[in-house]
PDB file of all heavy atoms in Angstrom:
ATOM      1  N   GLN A 263    -146.004  49.386 -10.536  1.00  0.00           N
ATOM      2  CA  GLN A 263    -146.247  47.958 -10.369  1.00  0.00           C
ATOM      3  C   GLN A 263    -147.459  47.564 -11.220  1.00  0.00           C
ATOM      4  O   GLN A 263    -148.302  48.414 -11.500  1.00  0.00           O
ATOM      5  CB  GLN A 263    -146.611  47.667  -8.909  1.00  0.00           C
ATOM      6  CG  GLN A 263    -145.649  48.196  -7.893  1.00  0.00           C
ATOM      7  CD  GLN A 263    -144.251  47.550  -7.970  1.00  0.00           C
ATOM      8  OE1 GLN A 263    -144.144  46.386  -8.395  1.00  0.00           O
ATOM      9  NE2 GLN A 263    -143.244  48.265  -7.614  1.00  0.00           N
ATOM     10  N   PRO A 264    -147.617  46.248 -11.480  1.00  0.00           N
ATOM     11  CA  PRO A 264    -148.822  45.800 -12.181  1.00  0.00           C
ATOM     12  C   PRO A 264    -150.036  46.289 -11.353  1.00  0.00           C
ATOM     13  O   PRO A 264    -150.062  46.211 -10.129  1.00  0.00           O
ATOM     14  CB  PRO A 264    -148.756  44.269 -12.149  1.00  0.00           C
ATOM     15  CG  PRO A 264    -147.289  43.987 -12.036  1.00  0.00           C
ATOM     16  CD  PRO A 264    -146.695  45.140 -11.224  1.00  0.00           C
ATOM     17  N   GLY A 265    -151.079  46.786 -12.034  1.00  0.00           N
ATOM     18  CA  GLY A 265    -152.296  47.286 -11.395  1.00  0.00           C
ATOM     19  C   GLY A 265    -152.297  48.789 -11.223  1.00  0.00           C
ATOM     20  O   GLY A 265    -153.348  49.359 -10.954  1.00  0.00           O
ATOM     21  N   ASP A 266    -151.153  49.453 -11.359  1.00  0.00           N
ATOM     22  CA  ASP A 266    -151.118  50.888 -11.181  1.00  0.00           C
ATOM     23  C   ASP A 266    -151.740  51.639 -12.364  1.00  0.00           C
ATOM     24  O   ASP A 266    -151.651  51.175 -13.497  1.00  0.00           O
ATOM     25  CB  ASP A 266    -149.709  51.409 -11.021  1.00  0.00           C
ATOM     26  CG  ASP A 266    -149.109  51.110  -9.615  1.00  0.00           C
ATOM     27  OD1 ASP A 266    -149.909  50.812  -8.732  1.00  0.00           O
ATOM     28  OD2 ASP A 266    -147.874  51.171  -9.463  1.00  0.00           O
ATOM     29  N   ALA A 267    -152.365  52.770 -12.085  1.00  0.00           N
ATOM     30  CA  ALA A 267    -152.871  53.671 -13.077  1.00  0.00           C
ATOM     31  C   ALA A 267    -152.173  54.992 -12.911  1.00  0.00           C
ATOM     32  O   ALA A 267    -152.063  55.523 -11.809  1.00  0.00           O
ATOM     33  CB  ALA A 267    -154.403  53.837 -12.946  1.00  0.00           C
ATOM     34  N   VAL A 268    -151.685  55.558 -14.005  1.00  0.00           N
ATOM     35  CA  VAL A 268    -150.919  56.818 -13.954  1.00  0.00           C
ATOM     36  C   VAL A 268    -151.574  57.865 -14.866  1.00  0.00           C
ATOM     37  O   VAL A 268    -151.970  57.553 -15.989  1.00  0.00           O
ATOM     38  CB  VAL A 268    -149.440  56.524 -14.442  1.00  0.00           C
ATOM     39  CG1 VAL A 268    -148.653  57.838 -14.583  1.00  0.00           C
ATOM     40  CG2 VAL A 268    -148.755  55.562 -13.486  1.00  0.00           C
ATOM     41  N   THR A 269    -151.703  59.076 -14.346  1.00  0.00           N
ATOM     42  CA  THR A 269    -152.200  60.177 -15.125  1.00  0.00           C
ATOM     43  C   THR A 269    -151.236  61.334 -14.988  1.00  0.00           C
ATOM     44  O   THR A 269    -150.747  61.631 -13.946  1.00  0.00           O
ATOM     45  CB  THR A 269    -153.578  60.627 -14.633  1.00  0.00           C
ATOM     46  OG1 THR A 269    -154.502  59.565 -14.849  1.00  0.00           O
ATOM     47  CG2 THR A 269    -154.116  61.867 -15.375  1.00  0.00           C
ATOM     48  N   LEU A 270    -150.959  61.987 -16.125  1.00  0.00           N
ATOM     49  CA  LEU A 270    -150.171  63.250 -16.116  1.00  0.00           C
ATOM     50  C   LEU A 270    -151.102  64.374 -16.483  1.00  0.00           C
ATOM     51  O   LEU A 270    -151.789  64.329 -17.525  1.00  0.00           O
ATOM     52  CB  LEU A 270    -149.020  63.137 -17.109  1.00  0.00           C
ATOM     53  CG  LEU A 270    -148.276  64.463 -17.380  1.00  0.00           C
ATOM     54  CD1 LEU A 270    -147.587  64.945 -16.093  1.00  0.00           C
ATOM     55  CD2 LEU A 270    -147.277  64.331 -18.511  1.00  0.00           C
ATOM     56  N   ARG A 271    -151.170  65.400 -15.629  1.00  0.00           N
ATOM     57  CA  ARG A 271    -151.965  66.616 -15.938  1.00  0.00           C
ATOM     58  C   ARG A 271    -150.962  67.752 -16.213  1.00  0.00           C
ATOM     59  O   ARG A 271    -150.054  67.985 -15.444  1.00  0.00           O
ATOM     60  CB  ARG A 271    -152.851  66.994 -14.754  1.00  0.00           C
ATOM     61  CG  ARG A 271    -153.839  65.965 -14.380  1.00  0.00           C
ATOM     62  CD  ARG A 271    -154.794  66.398 -13.254  1.00  0.00           C
ATOM     63  NE  ARG A 271    -155.470  65.195 -12.781  1.00  0.00           N
ATOM     64  CZ  ARG A 271    -156.496  64.611 -13.435  1.00  0.00           C
ATOM     65  NH1 ARG A 271    -156.937  65.112 -14.570  1.00  0.00           N
ATOM     66  NH2 ARG A 271    -157.041  63.520 -12.944  1.00  0.00           N
ATOM     67  N   VAL A 272    -151.156  68.402 -17.355  1.00  0.00           N
ATOM     68  CA  VAL A 272    -150.293  69.515 -17.699  1.00  0.00           C
ATOM     69  C   VAL A 272    -151.160  70.763 -17.842  1.00  0.00           C
ATOM     70  O   VAL A 272    -152.197  70.727 -18.534  1.00  0.00           O
ATOM     71  CB  VAL A 272    -149.486  69.222 -19.022  1.00  0.00           C
ATOM     72  CG1 VAL A 272    -148.635  70.431 -19.376  1.00  0.00           C
ATOM     73  CG2 VAL A 272    -148.626  68.000 -18.852  1.00  0.00           C
ATOM     74  N   GLN A 273    -150.694  71.845 -17.203  1.00  0.00           N
ATOM     75  CA  GLN A 273    -151.436  73.139 -17.206  1.00  0.00           C
ATOM     76  C   GLN A 273    -151.827  73.485 -18.663  1.00  0.00           C
ATOM     77  O   GLN A 273    -150.987  73.498 -19.570  1.00  0.00           O
ATOM     78  CB  GLN A 273    -150.492  74.165 -16.656  1.00  0.00           C
ATOM     79  CG  GLN A 273    -151.113  75.513 -16.460  1.00  0.00           C
ATOM     80  CD  GLN A 273    -150.089  76.446 -15.798  1.00  0.00           C
ATOM     81  OE1 GLN A 273    -148.922  76.140 -15.737  1.00  0.00           O
ATOM     82  NE2 GLN A 273    -150.594  77.550 -15.309  1.00  0.00           N
ATOM     83  N   ASP A 274    -153.081  73.758 -18.846  1.00  0.00           N
ATOM     84  CA  ASP A 274    -153.636  74.218 -20.162  1.00  0.00           C
ATOM     85  C   ASP A 274    -153.648  73.124 -21.238  1.00  0.00           C
ATOM     86  O   ASP A 274    -154.182  73.370 -22.311  1.00  0.00           O
ATOM     87  CB  ASP A 274    -152.934  75.430 -20.716  1.00  0.00           C
ATOM     88  CG  ASP A 274    -153.072  76.669 -19.802  1.00  0.00           C
ATOM     89  OD1 ASP A 274    -154.058  76.707 -19.077  1.00  0.00           O
ATOM     90  OD2 ASP A 274    -152.175  77.519 -19.871  1.00  0.00           O
ATOM     91  N   LEU A 275    -152.993  71.983 -20.996  1.00  0.00           N
ATOM     92  CA  LEU A 275    -152.854  71.004 -22.093  1.00  0.00           C
ATOM     93  C   LEU A 275    -153.558  69.672 -21.806  1.00  0.00           C
ATOM     94  O   LEU A 275    -153.317  68.694 -22.465  1.00  0.00           O
ATOM     95  CB  LEU A 275    -151.352  70.738 -22.386  1.00  0.00           C
ATOM     96  CG  LEU A 275    -150.551  71.956 -22.874  1.00  0.00           C
ATOM     97  CD1 LEU A 275    -149.131  71.550 -23.184  1.00  0.00           C
ATOM     98  CD2 LEU A 275    -151.192  72.652 -24.078  1.00  0.00           C
ATOM     99  N   GLY A 276    -154.397  69.651 -20.759  1.00  0.00           N
ATOM    100  CA  GLY A 276    -155.168  68.433 -20.470  1.00  0.00           C
ATOM    101  C   GLY A 276    -154.344  67.366 -19.848  1.00  0.00           C
ATOM    102  O   GLY A 276    -153.358  67.620 -19.159  1.00  0.00           O
ATOM    103  N   SER A 277    -154.790  66.098 -20.016  1.00  0.00           N
ATOM    104  CA  SER A 277    -154.152  65.006 -19.319  1.00  0.00           C
ATOM    105  C   SER A 277    -153.957  63.804 -20.263  1.00  0.00           C
ATOM    106  O   SER A 277    -154.562  63.701 -21.294  1.00  0.00           O
ATOM    107  CB  SER A 277    -154.956  64.602 -18.102  1.00  0.00           C
ATOM    108  OG  SER A 277    -156.211  64.106 -18.515  1.00  0.00           O
ATOM    109  N   VAL A 278    -153.026  62.942 -19.815  1.00  0.00           N
ATOM    110  CA  VAL A 278    -152.700  61.690 -20.556  1.00  0.00           C
ATOM    111  C   VAL A 278    -152.584  60.592 -19.515  1.00  0.00           C
ATOM    112  O   VAL A 278    -152.069  60.850 -18.429  1.00  0.00           O
ATOM    113  CB  VAL A 278    -151.442  61.898 -21.413  1.00  0.00           C
ATOM    114  CG1 VAL A 278    -150.301  62.439 -20.653  1.00  0.00           C
ATOM    115  CG2 VAL A 278    -151.091  60.637 -22.179  1.00  0.00           C
ATOM    116  N   SER A 279    -153.095  59.407 -19.826  1.00  0.00           N
ATOM    117  CA  SER A 279    -153.145  58.310 -18.801  1.00  0.00           C
ATOM    118  C   SER A 279    -152.661  57.009 -19.415  1.00  0.00           C
ATOM    119  O   SER A 279    -152.728  56.779 -20.611  1.00  0.00           O
ATOM    120  CB  SER A 279    -154.586  58.105 -18.353  1.00  0.00           C
ATOM    121  OG  SER A 279    -155.103  59.277 -17.786  1.00  0.00           O
ATOM    122  N   VAL A 280    -152.213  56.126 -18.474  1.00  0.00           N
ATOM    123  CA  VAL A 280    -151.832  54.779 -18.879  1.00  0.00           C
ATOM    124  C   VAL A 280    -152.021  53.867 -17.697  1.00  0.00           C
ATOM    125  O   VAL A 280    -151.912  54.278 -16.560  1.00  0.00           O
ATOM    126  CB  VAL A 280    -150.364  54.772 -19.420  1.00  0.00           C
ATOM    127  CG1 VAL A 280    -149.387  55.125 -18.321  1.00  0.00           C
ATOM    128  CG2 VAL A 280    -149.987  53.465 -20.062  1.00  0.00           C
ATOM    129  N   ARG A 281    -152.335  52.573 -17.962  1.00  0.00           N
ATOM    130  CA  ARG A 281    -152.479  51.597 -16.904  1.00  0.00           C
ATOM    131  C   ARG A 281    -151.452  50.470 -17.119  1.00  0.00           C
ATOM    132  O   ARG A 281    -151.083  50.172 -18.210  1.00  0.00           O
ATOM    133  CB  ARG A 281    -153.924  50.976 -16.992  1.00  0.00           C
ATOM    134  CG  ARG A 281    -154.990  51.922 -16.440  1.00  0.00           C
ATOM    135  CD  ARG A 281    -156.393  51.366 -16.683  1.00  0.00           C
ATOM    136  NE  ARG A 281    -156.704  51.263 -18.074  1.00  0.00           N
ATOM    137  CZ  ARG A 281    -156.960  50.131 -18.753  1.00  0.00           C
ATOM    138  NH1 ARG A 281    -156.934  48.956 -18.125  1.00  0.00           N
ATOM    139  NH2 ARG A 281    -157.233  50.116 -20.024  1.00  0.00           N
ATOM    140  N   PHE A 282    -151.068  49.841 -15.988  1.00  0.00           N
ATOM    141  CA  PHE A 282    -150.124  48.750 -16.030  1.00  0.00           C
ATOM    142  C   PHE A 282    -150.825  47.460 -15.682  1.00  0.00           C
ATOM    143  O   PHE A 282    -151.287  47.283 -14.541  1.00  0.00           O
ATOM    144  CB  PHE A 282    -148.913  49.079 -15.093  1.00  0.00           C
ATOM    145  CG  PHE A 282    -148.100  50.194 -15.636  1.00  0.00           C
ATOM    146  CD1 PHE A 282    -148.442  51.496 -15.421  1.00  0.00           C
ATOM    147  CD2 PHE A 282    -146.967  49.901 -16.426  1.00  0.00           C
ATOM    148  CE1 PHE A 282    -147.733  52.537 -15.967  1.00  0.00           C
ATOM    149  CE2 PHE A 282    -146.259  50.957 -17.010  1.00  0.00           C
ATOM    150  CZ  PHE A 282    -146.617  52.280 -16.753  1.00  0.00           C
TER     151      PHE A 282
END
Side-chain angles (χ1 to χ4, degrees):
Q263 309 293 332
D266 284 344
V268 173
T269 296
L270 171 64
R271 299 184 193 283
V272 178
Q273 187 177 13
D274 297 335
L275 300 182
S277 62
V278 53
S279 302
V280 65
R281 285 174 294 117
F282 290 83

